[in-house]
Amino acid sequence: MLTRELLAKVRKIEIRTRRIVDELTGGAYHSVFKGKGIEFNEVREYLAGDDVRAIDWNVTARMGLPYIKKFVEERELTVFLLVDISASGDFGSRGRAKNEHFAELAAVLAFSAVRNQDQVGLLMFSDQEELYLPPRKGRRHVLRLVRDLLACERRSRGTNIAHALQTMMRVVKRRAVVFVLSDFMDSDFQTALRSANRYHDVVALRVHDPCELAIPVTRGLLSVEDAESGKAMIFPSFRRGAREAYATQMRDMRAATERSCLRAGVDLIDIRNDEDYVAPIMRFFRQRQQRRLH
């Protein structure tokens, strides 16, 4: 892709995402995530009514009296984007691939972060680390991030969400809000998701295409290819039993992801790549606000 074309695409995404960034930074982003980051300050003697979960058991054992840890709110937040660029993201039945949705969603979150003077970092992954940008502040950094999202050429076609989460835990030392953008066509990532969410605030954004959930009916045989493995098969889509078996398999995969997120304590935002993503993101922020108030 020519540099001029790439810069034009970056600029187009910045303009397209400005409205939702304005909405998020108008209050929702700040109230949901600001104050989530805290750092240790000192210990003091336990007083009646204090949260027992804050007790420092090492100091309590040494002093013979209960002491609790005092924390202060971090003045800035670290937002980290884990973006799946595996081959399954190339699919799009309504004229827009899932990978395009990932790039625009990541841009919204990145521009929202820098608008609030927060740092933002990026890890693009397949079944290996594809590109890493350390967290930094500023519009120039976000423009580079968006450019890399659009221009990065993956080295591998597969998906390994667990490996991506483990890599993030290794490189991101400070507590962060971590957004995982993927179609989650993977398995065996629940343990890594739970471990990451113990220290960070992890949010999963699952983008799917409606045609992935059900095989269309045709008169003859349908050729189907796995984008990541390259394996092809001839599918008898005219047979109801074959279509129902496929739909059941997809429902099971989606349900497994939902269980993994639930057990890990991770919020899951579901987004269709043929629909506007603004409504589900704003709904998530409203739900988060309500939970914090109760």
Side-chain angles (χ1 to χ4, degrees):
M1 182 183 295
L2 296 175
T3 302
R4 184 175 296 176
E5 291 175 323
L6 181 57
L7 291 174
K9 276 201 165 190
V10 172
R11 180 61 178 157
K12 184 178 179 181
I13 282 186
E14 184 180 16
I15 293 169
R16 276 176 54 88
T17 59
R18 188 171 292 161
R19 176 176 63 87
I20 185 172
V21 169
D22 288 342
E23 290 183 39
L24 289 178
T25 55
Y29 174 96
H30 187 276
S31 62
V32 168
F33 293 119
K34 285 294 186 182
K36 294 289 285 186
I38 55 175
E39 56 186 6
F40 174 70
N41 186 30
E42 61 182 12
V43 294
R44 66 163 172 80
E45 193 171 338
Y46 176 86
L47 300 174
D50 285 335
D51 188 345
V52 295
R53 292 175 296 182
I55 291 176
D56 187 320
W57 295 106
N58 290 329
V59 176
T60 295
R62 288 200 305 270
M63 303 299 292
L65 292 170
Y67 276 75
I68 67 167
K69 297 176 182 178
K70 286 182 64 179
F71 297 89
V72 295
E73 181 180 333
E74 291 177 346
R75 284 176 288 184
E76 65 180 29
L77 201 63
T78 297
V79 172
F80 199 82
L81 307 172
L82 273 177
V83 182
D84 179 358
I85 63 166
S86 62
S88 63
D90 295 342
F91 181 73
S93 63
R94 309 291 172 89
R96 189 174 193 189
K98 290 180 287 183
N99 279 336
E100 294 178 66
H101 236 63
F102 295 152
E104 195 162 311
L105 284 165
V108 165
L109 298 167
F111 281 121
S112 298
V114 296
R115 183 80 65 85
N116 280 276
Q117 305 301 311
D118 294 329
Q119 298 185 87
V120 59
L122 169 71
L123 175 65
M124 299 170 70
F125 69 93
S126 54
D127 55 6
Q128 60 180 287
E129 178 185 332
E130 295 284 354
L131 184 143
Y132 169 61
L133 288 181
R136 290 195 177 91
K137 299 169 71 171
R139 178 174 174 271
R140 175 180 284 186
H141 174 63
V142 173
L143 290 175
R144 182 198 168 179
L145 183 151
V146 175
R147 182 199 69 196
D148 288 343
L149 278 165
L150 295 173
C152 182
E153 295 184 5
R154 59 175 172 257
R155 293 172 304 220
S156 183
R157 300 177 64 84
T159 309
N160 192 326
I161 294 171
H163 178 70
L165 288 164
Q166 290 158 1
T167 301
M168 180 276 297
M169 290 287 285
R170 190 175 67 251
V171 299
V172 182
K173 303 301 182 184
R174 181 180 176 183
R175 189 178 189 277
V177 177
V178 179
F179 292 97
V180 185
L181 289 78
S182 176
D183 54 16
F184 286 89
M185 290 192 174
D186 191 18
S187 58
D188 300 325
F189 54 82
Q190 181 178 310
T191 299
L193 194 64
R194 186 188 300 115
S195 296
N197 199 46
R198 283 190 186 127
Y199 185 70
H200 302 286
D201 183 358
V202 180
V203 179
L205 290 91
R206 178 172 62 181
V207 175
H208 71 277
D209 188 286
C211 282
E212 292 173 323
L213 307 183
I215 290 287
V217 181
T218 62
R219 288 182 176 272
L221 298 173
L222 186 67
S223 178
V224 180
E225 180 178 315
D226 186 308
E228 297 189 6
S229 69
K231 294 180 180 178
M233 64 174 289
I234 302 300
F235 193 88
S237 64
F238 56 87
R239 293 182 181 170
R240 181 177 177 181
R243 295 196 309 274
E244 289 178 350
Y246 174 85
T248 298
Q249 183 179 356
M250 293 303 297
R251 283 196 301 270
D252 289 346
M253 179 184 290
R254 290 175 59 80
T257 296
E258 288 154 16
R259 286 194 301 272
S260 293
C261 289
L262 181 63
R263 290 168 181 169
V266 168
D267 285 314
L268 175 64
I269 307 173
D270 242 331
I271 298 169
R272 283 175 50 143
N273 74 326
D274 63 335
E275 294 182 349
D276 190 1
Y277 55 79
V278 176
I281 288 182
M282 296 306 295
R283 185 164 55 247
F284 158 73
F285 274 83
R286 285 195 298 271
Q287 290 169 347
R288 271 262 176 137
Q289 283 178 308
Q290 291 171 359
R291 289 210 303 264
R292 293 198 69 185
L293 292 173
H294 291 85

